[in-house]
């Protein structure tokens, strides 16, 4: 745990050591605001809730979360610091976990900085704050899934751009698994069980349920399970790829 | 028990045998120079000893712990400077050492004490708060050494610690290695031969993944057959006379002219008896009133040995 904490602190600090943190925060807040108010018609709807606000999160994450995850391992491999890190007497999963948690905490921080939205909607009406809280948690979990995927894929390459593209593409697949285009492609040849399984993999469908106020144990298990799977794969991949 | 035992260590990369059954051991107090041309397998061997790279065959033991079954126990006992001294450029020197100390499991008080010691010993006080990416090569290397020595390991593995440093920095680095030698077992890889003579008690020559020689630098030199050479510089016009005189000195086998520039001629004298020849040659030239511009035992010929061995 000591190792994970040390890695967490170093990685969390690393976001702020470059302009990345500032740029990320500004872009996320500007985009999420613009989408909510202009595309989503926040005022026109005349409802005191944050549904429109949350509905854009998956699409923003698709592009922005890979930017958080791409450096986690690709940069270590490129700079050669991985040789330093992985010849210290530590367990690989402790490093993997520390790095992931740092990125996730950063995503949480950015999400928390959208609090003026919550203030606004509470000023304008009487929203269901339980649903809003659940949506925030769901949004953060979804960011976690995409981040763990990005971290895992960044272990495959020394090139951060490649890591970014892999993560964005992977996230896209994970996101769209539940929509009809993908399922329609599977139906003609895959068994119903497979189609149903793929449908349940959709990060998006689970998230939409949460923003409607339905938060189920299976959803939590699903998200946390995906994160755990990605981190497990990350550990195995970096062990295999580190010295290449 | 040897501090480091390398036992038939091998590594294949696809169809390239990078390291081929390398075996050697290092005792406490030894500084072993790991020598070889680029691509000989030096770094690969070091990466396997430090548990970064999985061997395809054989193993390495550090203080009795097998790196294949007890990787972390081995890593805890080694201080390692990877090639190029990688470090997190976005961290300050202090934060970086703090980070490594924490991952090494040094508790607060011990960590502060050791970092203080390293900063003092490696003269890092002036750059303590600076980001590593802004430092000169020499300082970066020192940070790398500080990181490797932080937990006061008994076994030290340094991959090209002086590569890319200027002569002053190289000198400092060697002084440092000499200073910490004593009670530790140290392996230093290099392709600079003077370095081996300067700091190493033993040299292992490796090429194409195989150990070709494992001996003290002096032994290596004596195998070369040119260890006993001396070099005499005389005025060019006295050159023929000097040559004849030297040829008659006892134990001298051959005298050859190796160069004549700026009115001075250089002769290489090879014979048996080492220092006695220097004295005898000096005496005979002096007796015949031939001014000697320069007279010395030839040294730095380890590169010839190296070429001889690695190109065999």
């Amino acid at each position: 745990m000591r190792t994970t904490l040390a890695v967490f602190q170093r990685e969390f600090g690393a976001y702020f050591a470059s302009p990345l943190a500032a740029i990320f925060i500004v872009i996320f807040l500007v985009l999420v605001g613009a989408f909510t108010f202009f595309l989503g018609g926040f005022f026109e709807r005349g409802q005191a809730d944050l549904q429109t606000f949350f509905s854009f999160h998956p699409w923003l994450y698709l592009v922005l979360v890979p930017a958080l995850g791409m450096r986690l391992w690709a940069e270590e491999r490129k700079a050669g610091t991985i040789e330093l890190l992985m010849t210290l007497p530590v367990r690989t999963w402790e490093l993997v976990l520390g790095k992931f948690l740092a990125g996730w905490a950063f995503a949480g921080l950015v999400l928390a900085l959208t609090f003026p939205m919550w203030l606004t909607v509470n000023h304008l009406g009487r929203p269901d704050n339980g649903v809003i809280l659940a949506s925030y948690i769901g949004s953060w979990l979804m960011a976690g899934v995409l981040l763990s995927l990005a971290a895992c894929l960044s272990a495959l390459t020394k090139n951060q751009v490649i890591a970014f593209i892999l993560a964005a593409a992977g996230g896209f697949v994970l996101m769209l698994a539940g929509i009809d285009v993908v399922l329609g492609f599977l139906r003609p040849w895959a068994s119903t069980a497979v189609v149903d399984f793929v449908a349940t993999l959709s990060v998006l469908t689970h998230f939409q349920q949460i923003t409607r106020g339905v938060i189920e144990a299976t959803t939590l298990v699903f998200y946390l399970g995906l994160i755990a799977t990605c981190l497990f794969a990350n550990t195995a991949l970096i062990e295999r790829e580190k010295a290449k | 028990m040897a501090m480091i035992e390398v036992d038939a260590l091998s590594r294949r990369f696809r169809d390239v045998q990078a390291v081929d059954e390398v075996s050697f051991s290092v005792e406490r107090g030894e500084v072993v120079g790991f020598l070889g041309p680029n691509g000989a397998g030096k770094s690969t061997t070091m990466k396997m000893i430090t548990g970064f790279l999985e061997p395809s065959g054989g193993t390495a033991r550090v203080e009795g712990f097998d790196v294949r079954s007890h990787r972390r126990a081995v890593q805890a006992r080694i201080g390692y400077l990877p090639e190029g001294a990688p470090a997190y450029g976005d961290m300050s020197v202090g934060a970086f050492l703090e980070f490594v100390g924490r991952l090494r499991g040094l508790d607060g008080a011990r960590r502060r004490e050791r970092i203080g010691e390293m900063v003092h010993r490696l003269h890092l006080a002036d750059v303590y708060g600076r980001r590593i990416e802004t430092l000169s090569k020499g300082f970066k290397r020192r940070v790398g050494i500080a990181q490797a020595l932080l937990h006061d390991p008994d076994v030290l593995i340094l991959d090209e610690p002086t590569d890319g440093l200027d002569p002053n920095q190289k000198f400092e680095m060697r002084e440092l290695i000499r200073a910490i030698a004593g009670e530790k077992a140290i392996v230093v890889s290099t392709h600079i031969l003077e370095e081996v003579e300067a700091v190493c008690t033993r040299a292992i020559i490796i090429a194409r993944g195989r150990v070709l020689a494992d001996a003290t630098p002096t032994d290596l030199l004596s195998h070369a057959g040119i260890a006993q050479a001396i070099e005499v510089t005389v005025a060019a016009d006295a050159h023929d006379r000097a040559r004849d005189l030297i040829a008659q000195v006892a134990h001298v086998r051959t005298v050859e002219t190796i160069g004549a520039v700026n009115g001075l001629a250089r002769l290489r004298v090879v014979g048996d008896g080492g220092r006695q020849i220097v004295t005898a040659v000096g005496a005979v030239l002096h007796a015949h009133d031939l001014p000697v511009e320069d007279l010395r035992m030839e040294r730095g010929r380890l590169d010839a040995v190296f070429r001889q061995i690695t190109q065999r």
Side-chain angles (χ1 to χ4, degrees):
Chain A
M1 223 62 271
R2 209 162 43 175
T3 302
T4 302
L5 183 65
V7 172
F8 172 86
Q9 286 173 354
R10 128 119 202 109
E11 292 293 331
F12 195 75
Y15 284 117
F16 293 92
S18 71
L20 178 70
I23 291 174
F24 191 94
I25 290 171
V26 169
I27 289 185
F28 183 83
L29 294 181
V30 167
L31 286 182
V32 85
F35 283 175
T36 307
F37 290 108
F38 299 111
L39 283 177
F42 177 76
F43 292 117
E44 289 79 354
R45 289 175 74 237
Q47 291 198 18
D49 65 29
L50 287 178
Q51 276 235 19
T52 50
F53 166 72
F54 284 112
S55 70
F56 290 109
H57 283 201
W59 310 108
L60 280 172
Y61 285 160
L62 202 53
V63 181
L64 292 178
V65 169
L68 287 184
M70 65 183 188
R71 51 168 291 279
L72 289 178
W73 294 101
E75 193 177 44
E76 297 264 5
R77 290 186 58 189
K78 179 95 177 176
T81 44
I82 191 157
E83 189 168 351
L84 179 97
L85 190 61
M86 296 191 76
T87 50
L88 293 171
V90 295
R91 293 178 186 85
T92 305
W93 66 262
E94 295 175 310
L95 304 175
V96 168
L97 188 63
K99 277 174 176 280
F100 166 75
L101 289 177
W104 204 20
F106 183 76
L109 172 73
V110 177
L111 201 55
L113 288 175
T114 63
F115 71 92
M117 291 298 307
W118 176 74
L119 292 180
T120 307
V121 81
N122 270 282
H123 177 73
L124 295 173
R126 310 195 58 179
D128 185 338
N129 281 320
V131 172
I132 291 178
L133 180 64
S135 302
Y136 265 113
I137 292 171
S139 175
W140 189 50
L141 282 167
M142 186 172 52
V145 170
L146 293 173
L147 181 71
S148 64
L149 181 72
C152 173
L153 293 170
S154 91
L156 285 174
T157 175
K158 290 181 185 179
N159 185 322
Q160 293 197 40
V161 177
I162 294 178
F164 176 87
I165 293 171
L166 288 177
F172 197 61
V173 171
L174 216 51
M175 201 78 90
L176 294 186
I179 70 163
D180 268 346
V181 181
V182 177
L183 297 180
F185 172 74
L186 288 174
R187 268 190 202 106
W189 53 275
S191 71
T192 326
V194 171
V195 176
D196 286 349
F197 175 72
V198 171
T200 62
L201 281 184
S202 173
V203 175
L204 192 57
T205 329
H206 285 276
F207 180 62
Q208 283 165 346
Q209 272 178 5
I210 294 177
T211 57
R212 279 188 223 107
V214 190
I215 191 158
E216 289 174 356
T218 51
T219 304
L220 290 180
V221 171
F222 168 74
Y223 279 138
L224 294 174
L226 268 183
I227 291 173
T229 308
C230 285
L231 295 184
F232 184 76
N234 189 346
T235 307
L237 279 178
I238 200 64
E239 273 291 337
R240 210 191 67 183
E241 299 289 321
K242 62 185 177 185
K244 285 186 184 164
Chain B
M1 182 187 64
M3 300 288 278
I4 307 175
E5 288 171 83
V6 176
D7 184 6
L9 204 57
S10 303
R11 173 74 198 197
R12 274 192 90 78
F13 292 109
R14 304 234 167 102
D15 46 350
V16 183
Q17 189 73 42
V19 174
D20 192 2
E21 305 219 335
V22 164
S23 298
F24 61 88
S25 61
V26 185
E27 304 283 342
R28 198 182 277 277
E30 280 191 298
V31 180
V32 170
F34 208 45
L35 270 170
N38 290 325
K42 304 186 294 277
S43 291
T44 309
T45 305
M46 290 183 152
K47 283 175 183 174
M48 288 192 282
I49 299 172
T50 54
F52 184 61
L53 190 64
E54 189 82 1
S56 334
T59 192
R61 281 178 291 275
V62 172
E63 296 182 43
F65 290 95
D66 191 312
V67 72
R68 299 189 84 160
S69 52
H70 297 82
R71 183 168 88 185
R72 274 175 291 122
V74 166
Q75 290 171 333
R77 285 163 176 80
I78 293 183
Y80 179 38
L81 176 74
E83 192 174 357
Y88 296 105
D90 58 11
M91 292 178 108
S92 71
V93 172
F96 176 68
L97 293 178
E98 186 76 26
F99 174 68
V100 172
R102 287 176 71 186
L103 291 198
R104 287 259 175 220
L106 304 178
D107 63 37
R110 170 97 176 124
R111 200 161 66 226
R112 274 188 295 281
E113 178 206 321
R114 288 299 300 167
I115 291 176
E117 160 94 25
M118 288 300 108
V119 166
H120 170 71
R121 189 148 193 186
L122 292 153
H123 312 291
L124 293 171
D126 291 342
V127 297
Y128 188 78
R130 272 175 57 186
R131 282 160 75 114
I132 292 173
E133 64 195 357
T134 67
L135 301 181
S136 69
K137 224 168 192 173
F139 270 118
K140 276 184 190 159
R141 203 55 58 92
R142 275 193 239 166
V143 171
I145 296 277
Q147 163 276 123
L149 287 174
L150 195 58
H151 54 303
D152 198 13
D154 283 338
V155 173
L156 204 54
I157 294 187
L158 309 174
D159 198 350
E160 306 208 340
T162 60
D163 187 44
L165 299 185
D166 70 34
N168 289 335
Q169 294 167 334
K170 279 185 183 166
F171 177 78
E172 272 177 37
M173 189 61 75
R174 284 176 204 151
E175 287 298 305
L176 177 74
I177 293 172
R178 255 199 290 267
I180 56 180
E183 285 305 291
K184 298 185 191 299
I186 305 180
V187 180
V188 188
S189 87
T190 178
H191 49 251
I192 305 165
L193 293 138
E194 50 186 278
E195 210 149 284
V196 176
E197 288 187 284
V199 297
C200 298
T201 58
R202 216 170 96 213
I204 294 175
I205 297 182
I206 171 172
R208 293 177 299 277
R210 288 170 170 278
V211 172
L212 300 178
D214 183 347
T216 64
T218 326
D219 279 350
L220 280 178
L221 282 171
S222 66
H223 286 306
I226 45 177
Q228 314 290 347
I230 58 171
E231 212 180 285
V232 190
T233 307
V234 293
D237 48 12
H239 161 245
D240 289 335
R241 248 186 96 203
R243 218 178 139 140
D244 294 341
L245 287 168
I246 292 170
Q248 284 155 31
V249 172
H251 301 300
V252 168
R253 273 194 266 137
T254 59
V255 186
E256 55 175 328
T257 310
I258 52 171
V261 283
N262 298 337
L264 294 174
R266 292 192 301 141
L267 300 172
R268 180 187 285 136
V269 183
V270 179
D272 326 295
R275 286 201 172 72
Q276 290 95 318
I277 299 186
V278 184
T279 322
V281 167
V284 80
L285 292 177
H286 182 70
H288 291 80
D289 245 4
L290 282 177
V292 177
E293 300 291 335
D294 190 22
L295 175 62
R296 59 181 151 177
M297 290 284 290
E298 206 170 65
R299 45 166 294 111
R301 302 300 297 170
L302 204 53
D303 57 343
V305 183
F306 182 72
R307 265 201 303 280
Q308 215 177 49
I309 293 175
T310 56
Q311 291 177 354
R312 207 181 278 157

